[in-house]
Amino acid sequence: MTLHLYDTYSRSLRPFEPIAPGQAGLYACGPTVYDYAHIGNLRTYLFVDGLRRALEFNGLQVRHVMNITDVGHLTSDADSGDDKIEARSRRSGESAWDIAAAFTRAFEDDLRQLNILPPTVWCRATDHIAEQIAFIGDLEAKGYTYRTDDGIYFDTTRQDDYGKLARLKRDGLQAGKRVELGEKRDICDFALWKFSGVPGQRQMEWDSPWGLGFPGWHIECSAMAEKHLGAYFDIHCGGEDHVAVHHSNEIAQTQARHGTRLANFWLHGAFLKTQDAKMSKSSGDFLRLQSLLEQGVDPLAYRYLCLGAHYRSSLNFTDDALRAASSGLARLRSTVHGLGDEHGEADPAWLDRFAEQINDDLNFPRALAVAWELLKGDLPDAVKKATMARFDAALGLGLLAWQPVQVEVPQPVQAWMALRAIARAQRQWAEADRLRTLARAAGYDIDDTPQGQQARPL
């Protein structure tokens, strides 16, 4: 059974065949660490984690590289504005280095809370300045660069197929431009190296053949991906907002240096939306994972919510959707826990059914449906549990490690549960719902599990 993935570059669903048999090289664009990640950012990393787990489910050894952008990402993708980390430093009075370190730690903690596997390689832009300078030097030698007053730029007019990833139409961009080009020769040209300007104004700056300065955002990923995975590797992924600028520019640079498009597959996850609008860090109006924790929400309920939508479909985040995910996760946990401790063998037919879904461009919503179908079936509990263990290696919900929390249920809630059991046995559904509503008003929900009713605090 072959894994098929949707490649943004070719706009097609393609069978995945690793460049090196049995191995997969995966590069994922990491965060710019000037602020906390919001749950929209984290949806992208959950998608990347699902991709990695699917590759491993298929028996591949994955070398997963993720960058930390700790310099060079300006407030505008068009190479204008301030460096985001330097700007934060000026506002807060903290050093740029301390800010980057603190938000990197916060990001790593978010990944742990969501049971996202750590990458094989973490790479920071500031640790790879020499590689970036060497990359720019090669581009200069090949005639792809030019100098302006504020930096060294990449000449996109040298490439007839620039922007193929995003299907950019250069003529349309030129006709519709509403920005001041300054010394840039073309609206699509982008900075490779920016000059520092006033001496001492910046904290993060380095000597280079072109003068004191710092790298542009795009050159960082091209240089680090090449160092850790080579000039042509299996998969590069990130959010859909990276297609038009960041990833198009990564491809342009590597194509100019090596004649490759950097990665065989380019995968992109869709936005998380609130009230049908994209969640954005730059707006300052965003929801953190910590915000959910403070509301008593299990972080893995958010993971469960994201599993319910395909990675290429936008997901609208609402309180009702999160509550439903929390309830679904609770039922799944208690059902798996109730299968007992006997050891069995995973069922091959069910594994094939599950693999068929995740191998269809990471269709985790349908894979989750297969898991529920298995649990409702008539296989022995030990077989179900062993099969669910294999499923959960891809789902990442930590199902077998979960243990129920012993809660002291108030006497009135216990009484309502007993009456509800009688009502359900007599098929008096309206009365059963009324009793459950009373329990909820008292701060407890009632889950129906194979072992009977279980009360849990809301």
Side-chain angles (χ1 to χ4, degrees):
M1 193 175 302
T2 302
L3 173 63
H4 285 72
L5 299 171
Y6 185 83
D7 174 28
T8 307
Y9 192 86
S10 65
R11 295 292 196 272
S12 66
L13 194 65
R14 298 170 49 207
F16 177 74
E17 297 178 1
I19 295 170
Q23 302 178 45
L26 170 64
Y27 186 91
C29 281
T32 301
V33 283
Y34 72 100
D35 207 336
Y36 295 105
H38 60 63
I39 60 172
N41 302 137
L42 294 173
R43 186 196 180 193
T44 297
Y45 301 114
L46 284 167
F47 139 61
V48 174
D49 189 59
L51 168 61
R52 172 178 171 176
R53 289 172 181 271
L55 292 166
E56 292 178 345
F57 191 89
N58 280 275
L60 296 167
Q61 182 178 356
V62 180
R63 181 171 174 80
H64 175 195
V65 178
M66 183 184 291
N67 74 295
I68 296 293
T69 297
D70 54 358
V71 67
H73 191 174
L74 305 185
T75 51
S76 165
D77 289 350
D79 299 311
S80 62
D82 292 329
D83 182 300
K84 292 181 177 183
I85 295 174
E86 295 271 355
R88 176 98 185 203
S89 174
R90 286 195 292 274
R91 291 196 305 271
S92 68
E94 301 172 86
S95 80
W97 299 95
D98 288 345
I99 288 169
F103 287 121
T104 297
R105 289 192 297 270
F107 176 71
E108 292 172 343
D109 187 56
D110 285 342
L111 298 194
R112 282 191 293 271
Q113 299 262 25
L114 290 167
N115 199 28
I116 292 174
L117 298 170
T120 316
V121 176
W122 289 102
C123 50
R124 290 171 173 78
T126 53
D127 292 335
H128 294 77
I129 299 300
E131 289 83 0
Q132 295 166 64
I133 289 173
F135 201 126
I136 298 168
D138 276 2
L139 295 179
E140 182 179 52
K142 292 175 182 290
Y144 280 91
T145 71
Y146 61 90
R147 186 186 187 103
T148 71
D149 284 344
D150 72 346
I152 305 299
Y153 281 77
F154 186 91
D155 184 356
T156 60
T157 64
R158 290 285 311 278
Q159 294 177 327
D160 293 337
D161 60 348
Y162 171 79
K164 179 179 177 180
L165 180 74
R167 302 302 188 266
L168 295 177
K169 297 186 182 300
R170 187 184 295 273
D171 292 344
L173 289 171
Q174 297 290 359
K177 68 185 179 186
R178 294 290 185 272
V179 297
E180 179 60 47
L181 286 179
E183 294 182 75
K184 285 173 59 171
R185 298 174 182 174
D186 187 274
I187 191 173
C188 296
D189 295 353
F190 55 90
L192 299 166
W193 188 263
K194 295 282 282 186
F195 301 140
S196 290
V198 178
Q201 185 175 4
R202 288 185 55 86
Q203 299 170 59
M204 293 179 162
E205 56 186 4
W206 295 265
D207 286 322
S208 79
W210 311 282
L212 191 66
F214 59 98
W217 175 32
H218 317 299
I219 196 65
E220 298 173 1
C221 282
S222 293
M224 289 188 287
E226 179 183 331
K227 177 179 175 63
H228 296 288
L229 292 170
Y232 188 63
F233 54 89
D234 293 293
I235 304 172
H236 194 312
C237 54
E240 63 181 345
D241 52 333
H242 286 158
V243 175
V245 179
H246 184 47
H247 287 175
S248 290
N249 292 346
E250 282 190 65
I251 290 171
Q253 293 165 156
T254 304
Q255 185 173 308
R257 190 184 195 191
H258 294 293
T260 76
R261 62 176 182 268
L262 189 58
N264 187 17
F265 282 78
W266 288 81
L267 272 65
H268 296 92
F271 292 138
L272 180 77
K273 296 184 177 180
T274 54
Q275 298 179 339
D276 296 315
K278 172 196 169 187
M279 189 174 289
S280 170
K281 265 201 301 190
S282 58
S283 69
D285 180 21
F286 62 84
L287 191 62
R288 289 178 54 202
L289 188 65
Q290 182 63 32
S291 306
L292 303 186
L293 289 169
E294 290 168 357
Q295 297 171 35
V297 176
D298 189 316
L300 293 182
Y302 179 62
R303 184 179 186 114
Y304 188 93
L305 173 65
C306 291
L307 285 170
H310 192 268
Y311 79 93
R312 287 195 289 116
S313 300
S314 62
L315 173 61
N316 215 27
F317 180 86
T318 65
D319 289 339
D320 286 346
L322 186 59
R323 277 193 293 269
S326 297
S327 180
L329 176 62
R331 290 196 306 273
L332 185 60
R333 283 171 163 169
S334 61
T335 302
V336 172
H337 181 73
L339 295 174
D341 296 325
E342 289 188 35
H343 298 286
E345 295 291 331
D347 185 272
W350 280 95
L351 290 176
D352 285 347
R353 290 187 59 185
F354 185 83
E356 182 180 1
Q357 303 309 325
I358 63 170
N359 284 353
D360 181 16
D361 194 29
L362 312 180
N363 199 323
F364 279 100
R366 289 211 307 255
L368 197 56
V370 169
W372 277 112
E373 191 178 344
L374 165 74
L375 292 171
K376 293 172 183 176
D378 55 6
L379 287 175
D381 284 357
V383 176
K384 285 183 179 178
K385 191 152 193 175
T387 309
M388 282 300 302
R390 292 286 303 279
F391 288 0
D392 196 42
L395 297 173
L397 293 169
L399 296 174
L400 271 67
W402 179 81
Q403 293 290 327
V405 177
Q406 300 299 321
V407 296
E408 189 172 337
V409 181
Q411 188 61 42
V413 176
Q414 293 183 39
W416 293 328
M417 289 174 68
L419 292 171
R420 183 173 179 271
I422 296 170
R424 283 172 58 81
Q426 297 176 350
R427 305 180 70 82
Q428 295 175 359
W429 309 120
E431 176 64 6
D433 289 344
R434 185 186 73 82
L435 292 163
R436 189 178 194 179
T437 299
L438 289 173
R440 284 176 169 167
Y444 291 82
D445 202 358
I446 301 173
D447 294 322
D448 297 305
T449 77
Q451 293 72 46
Q453 298 179 111
Q454 293 183 357
R456 59 180 174 85
L458 288 170

